[in-house]
Amino acid sequence: MKDETITHPIPPVWNAESRVLLLGTMPSPKSREQGFFYMHPQNRFWIVLPAIFGETLSHPNKSPEIKEAVRERQDFLLRHKIALWDVLSSCTINGASDSSIRNETPNDFTEIFRDSKIRHVFFTGKTACALWKKHCADLYEKQLNLSCRCLPSTSPANARFTLEKLTEEYRVVKDCL
């Protein structure tokens, strides 16, 4: 694969009742293709997050099921007062490799923080956390008294974290609701 300049194509999921914000870096090629976050079939995000609430979500493999799967995931997030987006609005990236990110521009979180009850921000990996610190922390953290914490990536590339360990680490999201 070669480097591409990507503009974030997926709107954030949130509403006025959202209390927790989960942030990744930028949607993977598979997520961009499917039109929603963490849609690569090997990414464990949609196994781990529902598991902390004692739930499971569908795992679509065919295009006709994608819209239903996206709606199911949006409903899940909003029902549990979880907002989901990414730190970046654009960047140059090679495939899904966070380590290749450069020329990044952060998203504007002003409206989300102003119009919701979010006071806890979690990052779905070290790169998302580092990019937040580089571009956003000074703008939002102290001013809004945000609690921010890095969680391990649910990507299949993070093989050292088992599904059980990821689920254990992500339970803190539920604890903040």
Side-chain angles (χ1 to χ4, degrees), residues 13 20-24 36-38 43-59 72-85 122-124 151-155 162-177:
V13 177
V20 167
L21 174 60
L22 295 175
L23 293 173
F36 201 64
F37 304 93
Y38 303 101
N43 192 300
R44 298 167 290 174
F45 184 87
W46 293 116
I47 299 170
V48 169
L49 198 60
I52 68 174
F53 293 96
E55 298 181 35
T56 57
L57 299 178
S58 65
H59 299 286
E72 178 186 31
R73 283 154 175 74
Q74 290 169 331
D75 291 346
F76 168 84
L77 293 165
L78 296 176
R79 188 172 70 249
H80 291 291
K81 301 175 177 22
I82 298 171
L84 181 62
W85 206 14
F122 294 95
F123 308 99
T124 61
L151 295 172
S153 172
T154 57
S155 164
T162 64
L163 189 57
E164 294 76 21
K165 181 68 174 158
L166 284 170
T167 304
E168 181 182 313
E169 293 283 331
Y170 274 71
R171 285 195 199 288
V172 68
V173 172
K174 184 179 178 185
D175 294 344
C176 289
L177 296 169

Side-chain angles (χ1 to χ4, degrees), residues 58-118:
S58 65
H59 299 286
N61 293 319
K62 299 176 184 163
S63 295
E65 299 172 2
I66 296 303
K67 286 183 182 176
E68 185 178 317
V70 168
R71 194 171 18 262
E72 178 186 31
R73 283 154 175 74
Q74 290 169 331
D75 291 346
F76 168 84
L77 293 165
L78 296 176
R79 188 172 70 249
H80 291 291
K81 301 175 177 22
I82 298 171
L84 181 62
W85 206 14
D86 288 311
V87 175
L88 300 180
S89 67
S90 68
C91 69
T92 301
I93 188 170
N94 187 311
S97 172
D98 279 359
S99 64
S100 73
I101 290 174
R102 57 188 169 73
N103 303 324
E104 64 269 14
T105 302
N107 273 312
D108 182 350
F109 298 92
T110 305
E111 181 183 4
I112 292 176
F113 288 127
R114 183 190 65 222
D115 297 341
S116 74
K117 298 175 181 177
I118 295 169

